[in-house]
Amino acid sequence: MPTITIYTDGSALGNPGPGGYGVVLLSGSHRKELSAGFRLTTNNRMELMAVCAALEALRFEGSEVTIFSDSKYVVDAVVKGWVFGWEKKGFAGKKNPDLWMRFLRIYRRHRVRFVWVKGHADTVENNRCDQLAVAAANDRARLGEDSGYRPE
């Protein structure tokens, strides 16, 4: 089974505001970049959506995956097991339940390990993801609808 390294980042220009995500997938000599932008969203939604989009892009179930993210929101929720408790309680009172459910569906199809990296530091691929996310958020002609975003 392939071993895959994924870098993700999300960004919102205002919180809420236009936002985007960027993903770099690496496996052997293969490299794929993904990004998308949305008219109205939040930074945390973009961070989580990046992870969902990355995992959904994988071709083979059961892949060995390492995800590098600068989002404590995403990394801690999984590594510390919070999201599994939220799931048991039906995500009552939690933000972004649509994306967390989407994440859990695809997460369970692979062997995933999360690694937190400091944002805007010397992690080349994380910085590339940030560039992709910001560019997607700024591409006004291509901004989609984040149908799961609910203003507070």
Side-chain angles (χ1 to χ4, degrees):
M1 207 43 59
T3 300
I4 300 157
T5 301
I6 297 173
Y7 291 84
T8 65
D9 197 21
S11 183
L13 312 174
N15 208 16
Y21 69 79
V23 174
V24 174
L25 297 106
L26 303 168
S27 182
S29 63
H30 301 285
R31 175 190 183 91
K32 184 172 188 173
E33 294 183 350
L34 307 170
S35 65
F38 300 89
R39 279 187 284 284
L40 186 62
T41 191
T42 66
N43 186 66
N44 280 344
R45 285 188 66 77
M46 292 297 93
E47 294 281 6
L48 183 51
M49 197 177 292
V51 172
C52 292
L55 290 173
E56 289 166 351
L58 301 181
R59 291 185 183 177
F60 305 103
E61 285 199 28
S63 294
E64 189 78 34
V65 180
T66 302
I67 297 176
F68 292 87
S69 171
D70 63 6
S71 171
K72 284 282 193 181
Y73 172 67
V74 174
V75 174
D76 284 354
V78 180
V79 171
K80 295 181 178 182
W82 302 337
V83 68
F84 308 108
W86 301 341
E87 181 186 33
K88 287 178 185 169
K89 295 175 184 173
F91 297 95
K94 296 300 170 191
K95 294 181 181 179
N96 308 314
D98 61 318
L99 290 178
W100 283 116
M101 288 185 278
R102 177 177 165 187
F103 165 77
L104 288 169
R105 277 191 300 276
I106 193 71
Y107 168 83
R108 290 185 169 121
R109 295 169 61 187
H110 303 285
R111 291 186 308 274
V112 181
R113 180 175 74 96
F114 277 86
V115 177
W116 180 79
V117 294
K118 185 176 180 178
H120 309 285
D122 293 332
T123 309
V124 172
E125 299 300 358
N126 182 258
N127 289 337
R128 176 62 183 148
C129 290
D130 181 62
Q131 292 171 346
L132 290 167
V134 171
N138 279 311
D139 189 354
R140 305 283 188 212
R142 292 188 150 157
L143 293 178
E145 190 68 34
D146 180 357
S147 59
Y149 172 70
R150 301 287 176 263
E152 295 188 23

